[in-house]
Amino acid sequence: MTRLPSITERLARNTYHLDDDENHIEVNQEIARRTGTGKLLVRICPAQVYGEAPDGTISVNYAACLECGTCNAMAAPGALIWHYPRGGFGIAYREG
Ligand code: SF4
């Protein structure tokens, strides 16, 4: 019987064309902290793009972004600037 690949194995087949000149995600640290959006981003992102330092600063590893848009839909106004990567950059899905 053939074993189907796990979600992790499927995601590992994707490739990401990193745009070194333009980050497609920026966090407004002050608004993110004040509204609780920072902690929310850390919890909801399926790719663990966001991290929180001990001082509350939110880090962004945009190279891991799946471009699902969840963070953009959930963030408080002004806490996040998110857009799709420029043409030719970002994730290239191998399955689906
Ligand atoms: S678009 Fe999706 S994968 Fe990318 S940072 Fe937002 S929640 Fe994470």
Side-chain angles (χ1 to χ4, degrees), residues 4-47:
L4 294 174
S6 68
I7 294 296
T8 302
E9 290 168 332
R10 289 182 188 187
L11 287 174
R13 294 178 185 168
N14 299 325
T15 57
Y16 195 93
H17 304 285
L18 192 59
D19 187 348
D20 291 327
D21 296 326
E22 187 177 307
N23 182 347
H24 72 285
I25 306 170
E26 289 182 39
V27 174
N28 181 310
Q29 299 290 339
E30 192 276 327
I31 297 175
R33 181 174 293 125
R34 180 164 39 84
T35 61
T37 290
K39 292 186 184 306
L40 178 70
L41 295 175
V42 173
R43 286 206 332 263
I44 65 171
C45 176

Side-chain angles (χ1 to χ4, degrees), residues 24-25 44-47 49-50 64-72 82:
H24 72 285
I25 306 170
I44 65 171
C45 176
V49 166
Y50 302 99
C65 179
L66 302 173
E67 301 172 27
C68 68
T70 303
C71 57
N72 193 37
W82 187 97

